[in-house]
Amino acid sequence: GDWSSDVCSSDLPAPPPPEKTLDLTGHVGFGFGLWAAPVALATQGNGAVGALGGLGSLFGGALSLRWWVRDRFFLTPSLQLGISRDTIPDSDSTFQKGVNGGSFTNGTFAPALSLGFAAYRGKSTRFLLSGGLSFGYTVDQTITQDRDFDGNIFGRYQAAKSVVFAVPVGFALEQFFSPRISIVLGADSPLFSYRSLKVGSRPPTTSIGADFTSTRLSGAVVFYTD
């Protein structure tokens, strides 16, 4: 007879089980990455000062924490905290009689909390949407101009205190290479923001609206716990 009929079906290798979708419920991830603000960078490239300030605000590093409360929902708390004591010497310029330096204390306190949702959940790829609330308080130094009794212009450093409330929204693509390591590429921008800036004893200036000049592109490597 046909010899192939003598081969038992039990002797054939069993097909591999279907790959399961990764379940992240209860997992916590720690991210390390970089971000850039291309809109502000382009603004400064045209000779104007971008909404984010100096060059140090156009690029930066970031540490993040991500907690998957459910398999599709996660929380991302963050905190920017910094303080410095800066000593600036006296200086002269072409347009000013002189700028008196000094020692100043500057700092930043900026907590935020975002809620994220995995709009697409594949076996190793997730498309994420997020939104939340953020607050920021920053003290920095800026040069203001005044006139003396002789009508000469002179400059001096004064504290510039800014307060920002924002509703940031964003999206990201997360690609897993293993259950514990992933790469996240995304973008975020304040959908709504309120900003108040007070320089010295002058009345504060405020602005309300969407701050798309603060749009940031980011990339990070995330390490997950068990």
Side-chain angles (χ1 to χ4, degrees):
D2 188 358
W3 63 270
S4 61
S5 61
D6 297 332
V7 179
C8 298
S9 60
S10 59
D11 296 333
L12 299 176
E19 186 179 353
K20 295 182 179 180
T21 301
L22 185 63
D23 188 348
L24 294 176
T25 303
H27 286 207
V28 176
F30 298 89
F32 306 87
L34 301 173
W35 60 265
V39 177
L41 179 61
T43 303
Q44 287 210 351
N46 292 330
V49 177
L52 293 181
L55 185 62
S57 297
L58 304 179
F59 305 94
L63 302 178
S64 62
L65 174 67
R66 178 173 298 167
W67 173 35
W68 287 89
V69 184
R70 295 286 186 271
D71 191 37
R72 283 186 178 270
F73 294 92
F74 63 90
L75 291 175
T76 305
S78 64
L79 174 63
Q80 296 183 26
L81 184 64
I83 188 170
S84 65
R85 183 67 176 176
D86 301 329
T87 300
I88 304 175
D90 298 343
S91 62
D92 291 312
S93 66
T94 304
F95 305 102
Q96 296 176 343
K97 180 179 179 180
V99 180
N100 296 325
S103 295
F104 311 99
T105 300
N106 301 320
T108 298
F109 174 72
L113 178 63
S114 294
L115 172 64
F117 171 69
Y120 169 77
R121 184 182 59 136
K123 295 178 181 179
S124 60
T125 305
R126 295 190 175 202
F127 181 73
L128 312 175
L129 301 175
S130 63
L133 296 172
S134 67
F135 166 80
Y137 177 73
T138 302
V139 178
D140 204 350
Q141 302 301 315
T142 187
I143 297 177
T144 60
Q145 294 183 346
D146 289 300
R147 291 182 180 272
D148 59 19
F149 292 107
D150 297 327
N152 297 314
I153 299 176
F154 70 95
R156 61 176 176 174
Y157 286 95
Q158 287 191 306
K161 302 177 181 179
S162 64
V163 176
V164 179
F165 294 93
V167 180
V169 296
F171 65 89
L173 182 68
E174 183 168 13
Q175 176 65 49
F176 286 85
F177 297 98
S178 74
R180 294 190 179 185
I181 301 177
S182 71
I183 287 183
V184 180
L185 301 176
D188 62 85
S189 179
L191 181 64
F192 168 84
S193 67
Y194 167 84
R195 184 185 302 270
S196 175
L197 175 63
K198 181 177 177 60
V199 178
S201 59
R202 299 178 181 180
T205 59
T206 60
S207 63
I208 300 176
D211 188 8
F212 294 113
T213 57
S214 296
T215 299
R216 303 196 312 179
L217 305 179
S218 60
V221 179
V222 181
F223 300 89
Y224 282 95
T225 61
D226 290 337

